[in-house]
Amino acid sequence: MKPDLFSIGSVTVHGYGLMIAIGVLAAVMAAEKRAPRLGLNGEHIFNIAVWGVAGGVIGAKVLYWIVELPDILADPSILLDIGHGFVIYGAILGGILGGFLYCRVKKLNFLAYFDLVMPSVALAQGFGRLGCLLAGCCYGKQTDSWFHIVFTESDLAPRGVPLIPTQIISSAANFLHFAVLLWIAKRVKGDGQVAGFYLIFYSVGRSLIELLRDDPRGAVGGLSTSQFISLFILAAGIGLVAVRGRRK
């Protein structure tokens, strides 16, 4: 792992930020390449990405504030820390909303572009989790298994302790998710179903990986915050797949 990759003068290139940038670039390129095959205008992809990223950043921050509301009420200065504190589900929901608003403004078929973009989102998340690996965040529980990772430079994960490599597992699962969605995209019956399958697979996968993680997270009853939100995302995904398939 390497939180800080290198510096050029006073500018430091962080591993997490670089992986996020690579993920976004790969996602845009993949969507632009697939667009003509689906009869869609690839020129809109970059703008959808910009709106989606903007919505994702806002959504991730807002959901973090909601999850950490008790701590924020106790210490309002947390609101001033803009560079830290994001929740991935907020990024997903905010990004979808950003893409929806762009399609409404440009009078585009949102569900068609929704299907086009979501496999690329899984691809971007695969690179993003490699960024988590470099930074040491989203770490797993301590383990005696041979399949482990030991962090030595992290300010986030425990140092010198064998941990379940949840970042590597998540990254591999997201790359697999991307491949599976591409396969599904050739077989769906109606617009919106690919996106629905994304919501189904991601919510299930995220709920399972939560069982292996040991980093500080919020909780709702006996579930982590992400597992609780996953219940609604799963229901939305199943509904989208079922309704759009029946209408077709």
Side-chain angles (χ1 to χ4, degrees):
M1 55 148 313
K2 192 72 173 175
D4 302 326
L5 296 179
F6 57 88
S7 297
I8 302 176
S10 60
V11 178
T12 300
V13 177
H14 303 288
Y16 183 83
L18 179 62
M19 288 297 107
I20 292 294
I22 292 175
V24 172
L25 179 61
V28 170
M29 293 175 63
E32 287 181 340
K33 183 175 182 179
R34 295 179 58 235
R37 304 174 187 173
L38 302 176
L40 300 175
N41 188 347
E43 295 180 358
H44 290 291
I45 301 304
F46 178 79
N47 291 332
I48 290 176
V50 171
W51 283 56
V53 169
V57 171
I58 295 172
K61 197 64 181 180
V62 169
L63 187 54
Y64 171 77
W65 286 337
I66 293 174
V67 171
E68 299 296 328
L69 185 58
D71 291 339
I72 292 174
L73 293 176
D75 181 12
S77 65
I78 295 176
L79 295 172
L80 302 178
D81 187 4
I82 303 298
H84 297 85
F86 298 93
V87 178
I88 186 61
Y89 263 131
I92 293 173
L93 297 175
I96 291 173
L97 178 59
F100 172 76
L101 293 175
Y102 177 84
C103 290
R104 285 296 299 271
V105 171
K106 295 297 183 178
K107 296 180 173 56
L108 302 176
N109 180 349
F110 168 68
L111 289 179
Y113 281 92
F114 196 17
D115 279 349
L116 170 65
V117 168
M118 294 316 287
S120 290
V121 171
L123 177 63
Q125 288 176 311
F127 287 102
R129 288 306 179 187
L130 291 179
C132 293
L133 177 67
L134 293 174
C137 61
C138 306
Y139 55 87
K141 296 178 179 179
Q142 188 170 345
T143 179
D144 295 326
S145 169
W146 65 268
F147 185 56
H148 68 261
I149 188 168
V150 177
F151 291 103
T152 59
E153 300 182 40
S154 176
D155 292 329
L156 301 174
R159 300 185 183 188
V161 178
L163 304 174
I164 299 173
T166 48
Q167 306 95 331
I168 296 175
I169 296 171
S170 296
S171 178
N174 280 306
F175 287 131
L176 176 62
H177 193 187
F178 169 67
V180 170
L181 289 177
L182 292 184
W183 182 83
I184 289 176
K186 300 176 182 179
R187 293 163 174 80
V188 293
K189 297 180 180 179
D191 291 341
Q193 287 191 299
V194 174
F197 278 114
Y198 168 90
L199 298 177
I200 292 171
F201 296 148
Y202 184 78
S203 60
V204 172
R206 181 56 190 269
S207 294
L208 293 176
I209 202 70
E210 285 287 298
L211 300 175
L212 304 178
R213 284 175 55 172
D214 200 34
D215 54 312
R217 286 157 295 146
V220 179
L223 302 175
S224 71
T225 301
S226 293
Q227 287 175 322
F228 179 73
I229 297 174
S230 290
L231 296 176
F232 300 96
I233 300 298
L234 176 62
I238 293 174
L240 190 56
V241 170
V243 171
R244 295 306 301 176
R246 184 169 64 250
R247 287 186 177 182
K248 183 66 175 180

